[in-house]
Each structure stands twice: as structure tokens, then as C-alpha cells.
Amino acid sequence: MPWTSHMRDSRLDKLANVLVTYSVAVKKDDLVRISGSTVALPLIRAVYREVLRAGGHPVLRLVDDECTDIFFAEAGPKQLAFLNPLAMQEIETIDCTIGIWADANTKSMSRVDPARQAAASQARKPIMETFLKRAALKGKRKLRWTGTQFPCEAAAQDAERSLSQYEDFVFGAGLLDRKDPAAEWRKISERQQRLADYLNKTREIRFRTPAGTDLRVGVRGRRWINCDGHENFPDGEVFTGPIEDATEGTVVFSFPAVHGGREVHDIRLTFKAGKVVDAYASKGEDFLIQMLDQDKGARILGEIAIGTNYAITEYTKNTLFDEKIGGTFHAAVGSAYPETGGKNTSGLHWDMVCDLRSGGVIEADGKVISKNGRFTRADWPR
């Protein structure tokens, strides 16, 4: 297997160091879960080493893609609906979790029955709720978490790049080509915080594009979160949980939305009193509707966010990067992050991205704050 180039790539060690010392800030005696596919072993090993150096106790959770395929092919109804008590205990106990995403085949779930995916998603709902509640806490019980992408062949294919080109893209998006990436993220954090502070005083935010998006989202009293490399890496967004019954209008998403290993194209959602009342897709519409119908909260907007990472300029079929593109916004149907004040719960959380760079406008309480993907204030992200 051609891992030698990865094992020699010093940028993996740099990424591991940033994840452990900056993103989740591992402290002595922290119990740190490291989870990821066997595809990502070079980065998993580098993170494992950094956790030990930081004085933490690493716990490995390796996932085999083929076993996931076997599960969805063979599991009966009881097995699909099974809540693993050990997984619950783990999410209640660990201090930090570092997720490393990589696939041997990003399309392997494309032919799984959506009803089976929805059943497995519902089974994991208590784990998701516990994760979100602990992530929203302060102090000792707070769960510190981050996730990143390992640059692998399958992701490079989705991005229509060679592996070498994709590695440069991934490491560049995380500013790992800089001398001190953590220092760079602290500077970004300051700009994003100024934007978040402004939005915290906003009652309604409105998004419009020439493609047909006109979406009004009530956010009064909700907290905007500054995503500066702690909970996703790379990062670059500000987000909040909208008021549950205060989303109105239509959003036409610019890029295919990927969820559960499936691509859904040309999604258009219409909201009334906070809920999706009409959903369309040119490809994957049945899957979209089954996901939206999986529980009461799945048709409600759980997150609204603005992408602020101007080092990411192209769509790569990977939500980690696509939702951060500077000059976009994204909306997630389903569960909200409690730290925003959002109350919606669901087994679903599905981010979908809308490009603002060709004629798009963001208004906050009627005032234009972004035009053509660029903010109107010079001290905000750029």
C-alpha cells in the first residue's frame, strides 16, 4: 500500500500537533478518543503520538469501511435499531474526541436503502444528543472535540485532483503551510469574533441569490459561534441555531449535498413557519424526503452559518471544506447545537451549501453586510 509518501510528509505531524495542542488542547490525564477509518492510519498514528506527548490517555476507535458495508447489507431490524451501551458510556466518559475522516470508497453507501440508514441514524440519536449537550457545557464535564480530513485517494477523486494536489489543498486550507498555524488561526478568530458579536445583536438574517434563494431566518436571542479551528479543522465559519418557527422562504443550494454516502443534486427547500413544506432535488429526491421524514425535528432548520475561509475557493464534495468556502452560507436541517440556544432535536444534521459569490447578498435586519461573497466591513473575515 502506498503509505510511504504520507509517512514522510511532515505536514501530517504538523496537523496532528495542531489538533492535539490547539484544537482540543489535550491536558495531562485527559481521556482522548481517536476515531477514524483504517485508511487514515498515518494521521491516526501521528495524533496518537501527540496525545501521549501531551500527557493524555489515547483510546483508539478504528472503523473498517467494509464492516460498515456488511452491517447495512446484513443487519436485521433489531440490529439497525440497537443502541450500543458501550458507545453511550464512552461518549459520557471521554474528555476529548478527535475524528479523522477518510474513505476507501466514498460511494459505497449509495445503494443502501434510505430507510435502513434512517433507522441506524435514529438508533444513534441518544449518542448525538449526549455529545451535543456535553459539547455545550463549560468546565470539567465539557467534551472537547474536533474532526479533520485525511487526504486519501477517494477524497482526491471526488475533488477531481491527484492525491498530491489534494494533499496541498487540505494542508493549505488548514494553513499548515504557515510557520505557526495555531497563531494564524488565532488571528482569524479575532476577525470572526467581530462578525459574531455583530450578528449576536441581529434579529433576522436574510439571504438572496439570483438563482432563486430568498430565505429569512429569525435569530433574535440566539448565540453566534466563532468556529476558529477548535471543533473542525480546517475551520472558518460563524453559525447559530435559528428560532425553530421563524424560517421563511426558499433556498436553492448551489452544490450537490452529500449525506450518508449519497449525493443529492439541485436541492430546493421551501420553509413556512420554520418547517420544510416543499423539497425538490433533481437527483436523490426520494432519499432527501426520507431523511426529512425520519423524525419531527428533521424538517426544521437546526443551523444557519456563513463560510469565512477564503483559503478554500472550490467545491470538493466534502462538507468539511465546502461549508467553509469564503463567500458561501450553509443551512443544516435537523439537530441544533445547544450552545447556540437552539432547541431542535433530530437524528439528522445535514449541511447544505449555497454560493453567494455571483450576485448573492446577506442582510442583517435589513442592512447589507455581504455582497458577492465579500463582507462590507474591512475588519471582518476576508
Side-chain angles (χ1 to χ4, degrees):
M1 295 175 73
W3 293 128
T4 50
S5 63
H6 289 301
M7 291 167 76
R8 286 199 306 269
D9 195 331
S10 62
R11 295 174 298 183
L12 279 181
D13 294 327
K14 214 169 182 180
L15 174 54
N17 179 265
V18 172
L19 293 172
V20 172
T21 63
Y22 173 76
S23 297
V24 295
V26 172
K27 301 192 292 287
K28 193 174 180 235
D29 291 330
D30 274 347
L31 187 61
V32 185
R33 180 179 71 178
I34 306 164
S35 62
S37 162
T38 50
V39 174
L41 275 170
L43 180 54
I44 288 168
R45 289 171 185 142
V47 169
Y48 190 94
R49 183 181 296 112
E50 289 292 336
V51 169
L52 288 171
R53 286 176 176 171
H57 305 292
V59 178
L60 269 187
R61 286 289 171 266
L62 290 179
V63 178
D64 177 64
D65 293 347
E66 254 186 76
C67 284
T68 304
D69 295 340
I70 292 166
F71 175 77
F72 279 107
E74 301 290 340
K78 276 191 177 176
Q79 290 164 315
L80 286 167
F82 178 67
L83 174 62
N84 184 341
L86 297 179
M88 268 305 289
Q89 187 181 10
E90 184 174 275
I91 209 69
E92 288 163 354
T93 308
I94 54 176
D95 299 297
C96 311
T97 180
I98 299 171
I100 299 166
W101 303 312
D103 298 280
N105 174 4
T106 60
K107 303 292 187 292
S108 66
M109 301 274 284
S110 296
R111 293 178 183 266
V112 173
D113 181 352
R116 292 172 71 77
Q117 283 180 277
S121 173
Q122 281 300 294
R124 291 189 58 80
K125 190 175 173 182
I127 294 173
M128 180 187 269
E129 287 177 354
T130 303
F131 172 91
L132 293 171
K133 280 176 189 166
R134 286 200 60 205
L137 295 173
K138 291 181 179 176
K140 277 190 173 182
R141 285 287 299 148
K142 179 178 176 64
L143 177 62
R144 284 136 39 221
W145 66 276
T146 195
T148 197
Q149 174 72 41
F150 173 72
C152 58
E153 292 278 10
Q157 284 180 325
D158 279 353
E160 298 181 0
R161 288 166 165 83
S162 70
L163 181 58
S164 176
Q165 289 166 341
Y166 190 67
E167 286 170 338
D168 289 345
F169 163 76
V170 169
F171 296 129
L175 308 180
L176 294 160
D177 48 355
R178 310 289 176 89
K179 189 177 178 183
D180 187 347
E184 296 297 327
W185 281 103
R186 288 186 192 102
K187 288 179 198 169
I188 288 168
S189 180
E190 287 176 21
R191 284 183 172 272
Q192 290 184 173
Q193 192 57 51
R194 285 192 281 270
L195 173 59
D197 289 343
Y198 181 91
L199 292 171
N200 279 332
K201 298 168 189 167
T202 299
R203 295 184 302 277
E204 182 181 88
I205 191 158
R206 184 180 185 184
F207 303 90
R208 288 183 290 127
T209 70
T213 293
D214 189 351
L215 189 72
R216 290 179 290 115
V217 183
V219 293
R220 185 175 189 169
R222 296 297 165 90
R223 182 176 170 229
W224 287 81
I225 307 293
N226 172 3
C227 297
D228 54 4
H230 285 98
E231 294 180 343
N232 274 330
F233 198 88
D235 222 333
E237 67 173 276
V238 294
F239 77 92
T240 194
I243 296 167
E244 288 70 27
D245 60 356
T247 303
E248 300 282 347
T250 297
V251 54
V252 180
F253 293 104
S254 312
F255 307 121
V258 182
H259 183 74
R262 285 177 184 252
E263 279 180 41
V264 182
H265 291 235
D266 302 311
I267 295 176
R268 186 180 68 233
L269 301 179
T270 300
F271 290 84
K272 194 169 182 181
K275 195 172 181 182
V276 176
V277 293
D278 187 56
Y280 163 84
S282 65
K283 174 188 172 186
E285 186 176 283
D286 289 349
F287 175 73
L288 170 66
I289 289 166
Q290 281 193 263
M291 292 300 104
L292 292 173
D293 285 343
Q294 70 175 263
D295 57 33
K296 282 197 297 185
R299 283 179 176 259
I300 293 168
L301 211 57
E303 177 190 350
I304 194 75
I306 303 169
T308 56
N309 188 332
Y310 287 91
I312 306 174
T313 59
E314 292 180 61
Y315 171 72
T316 60
K317 293 187 183 175
N318 185 322
T319 305
L320 173 68
F321 301 99
D322 300 337
E323 69 175 11
K324 312 296 192 313
I325 295 171
T328 66
F329 82 92
H330 59 276
V333 282
S335 61
Y337 291 97
E339 60 264 43
T340 65
K343 298 175 176 65
N344 195 47
T345 61
S346 173
L348 184 68
H349 183 92
W350 187 353
D351 293 287
M352 304 172 185
V353 183
C354 182
D355 200 342
L356 296 162
R357 291 173 293 180
S358 298
V361 172
I362 306 176
E363 295 172 20
D365 292 337
K367 184 178 179 183
V368 174
I369 62 165
S370 172
K371 205 169 186 179
N372 293 315
R374 293 286 173 176
F375 291 108
T376 54
R377 272 178 50 171
D379 61 340
W380 287 356
R382 48 199 318 103

